[in-house]
Amino acid sequence: MGTWDTGHFDSDSAADFSGAIDDKPEAEREAVIRDALTVAIEADYLDSDEGAPAVAAAALVASQCPGGEPVTTPYGPDNPLPVLATDLRPLAVKALDAVLGENSELRELWEDGGDKEWALGIARLREVLVAAAG
């Protein structure tokens, strides 16, 4: 896993995900986000290369929620996102739950590394999404 910090976009997989969004026309960008969330939710075992894009996708959804932080990292998408459908909010919560779950390589790697900042960032992200999902 090429990871350089604890931010939601601070890995090769998340940065590649941002590039995949930028490669799509604006009307298709939401589908890329939805797909990343769905992959995480449906995985029996969530590989870190699938978990990191799910976290990044959740951060993009949360950025459009009340209390959400804008994505300002240079590793996020360069092109603007459309207004995302509100049904992505509960999907993003489920995806984060999968990332934090027992069958998540990403969670295992961060726990093994002993860094608590990553999990705190996920918890803050989840809190915004839960509040917005109703």
Side-chain angles (χ1 to χ4, degrees):
M1 170 172 78
T3 301
W4 51 86
D5 207 348
T6 60
H8 306 311
F9 292 87
D10 293 343
S11 72
D12 290 338
S13 297
D16 289 346
F17 168 73
S18 293
I21 291 172
D22 284 336
D23 289 344
K24 296 291 184 183
E26 186 174 349
E28 296 176 26
R29 293 182 190 142
E30 182 176 305
V32 177
I33 294 167
R34 185 178 301 277
D35 288 347
L37 298 172
T38 302
V39 164
I41 293 166
E42 294 179 352
D44 292 327
Y45 181 79
L46 186 59
D47 184 85
S48 65
D49 287 333
E50 296 168 335
V55 170
L60 293 173
V61 174
S63 73
Q64 294 188 3
C65 295
E69 295 181 21
V71 174
T72 58
T73 175
Y75 305 109
D78 292 326
N79 296 322
L81 294 176
V83 174
L84 300 173
T86 58
D87 74 319
L88 289 174
R89 295 170 181 179
L91 285 179
V93 172
K94 289 179 184 177
L96 291 178
D97 288 346
V99 166
L100 294 173
E102 290 298 314
N103 294 322
S104 170
E105 181 185 31
L106 191 58
R107 178 199 50 79
E108 290 172 11
L109 291 169
W110 281 106
E111 282 183 2
D112 290 348
D115 191 309
K116 305 242 187 272
E117 189 62 33
W118 176 82
L120 291 172
I122 299 296
R124 286 189 300 269
L125 190 58
R126 190 180 183 285
E127 187 177 291
V128 167
L129 289 161
V130 167

